[in-house]
Amino acid sequence: AGVGALLAGCETGIPAGTPPITPGTSAAPREVNIVMRDYAYVPSIVDLAPGETVLFHVINGGLVVHEAILGDMDTQLAWEAAEATTIGAPPGPTPVVAEPAGFDGVRIVVESGQRLDVVWTVPEDAPTDASGWFVGCHIPGHWEKGMVAPVRFVDGSGGPMASVSPGPSAAP
């Protein structure tokens, strides 16, 4: 019966909430793993608590350089426009891209086969953004290939918060 209930829950297509978490603090950040592949993120939904400090372990399991930009949809679109200027850049290191004005998220660029650890504090007001928050890769062409994952804001018990969720028009 337990297996049946578990399988029934899997058929809904709605990912389960994060197991109970203790939001991170500056003295003890919560560890969050993000694995980048060609062209997706694991997990497919990133759960964060507003105001918490997290230690991201960002691993690039793909064959090319990827990035994880955390921010609202306006931030994602600003990075998409900023990085569009690098289309056609010669092979080699990722071109330097200026941070868009008003950026309050985080950008983590990781070479193929590498891991980068970054400590970051989630803005307290992030769940109130009507466009939602996302993790996106804006290396030219990656966003279009679907390299984006939504952020789900959770409370300290891991339950989804009553935040504004983006509509279908917010998807890339």
Side-chain angles (χ1 to χ4, degrees):
V3 172
L6 178 63
L7 290 175
C10 292
E11 292 175 10
T12 65
I14 300 171
T18 300
I21 63 169
T22 301
T25 65
S26 58
R30 180 172 66 96
E31 296 184 39
V32 176
N33 296 322
I34 297 178
V35 178
M36 301 183 287
R37 297 194 174 150
D38 303 328
Y39 293 88
Y41 294 102
V42 176
S44 60
I45 296 176
V46 177
D47 290 334
L48 298 173
E52 78 168 321
T53 300
V54 293
L55 169 58
F56 287 114
H57 301 294
V58 184
I59 302 111
N60 185 347
L63 298 175
V64 298
V65 65
H66 289 296
E67 66 186 357
I69 293 180
L70 282 96
D72 63 17
M73 184 54 74
D74 288 341
T75 292
Q76 300 298 331
L77 297 176
W79 275 105
E80 188 69 7
E83 294 196 37
T85 63
T86 68
I87 292 174
T94 303
V96 174
V97 179
E99 189 174 283
F103 179 56
D104 67 348
V106 66
R107 179 182 190 228
I108 307 162
V109 180
V110 185
E111 295 289 332
S112 174
Q114 300 294 308
R115 173 181 139 180
L116 186 63
D117 296 339
V118 174
V119 175
W120 180 65
T121 300
V122 180
E124 287 280 353
D125 64 348
T128 64
D129 193 303
S131 67
W133 271 59
F134 300 87
V135 179
C137 183
H138 300 285
I139 305 294
H142 296 201
W143 179 261
E144 290 83 13
K145 290 178 181 176
M147 195 161 184
V148 60
V151 170
R152 176 174 44 198
F153 293 103
V154 297
D155 58 26
S157 68
M161 296 179 64
S163 61
V164 179
S165 63
S169 62

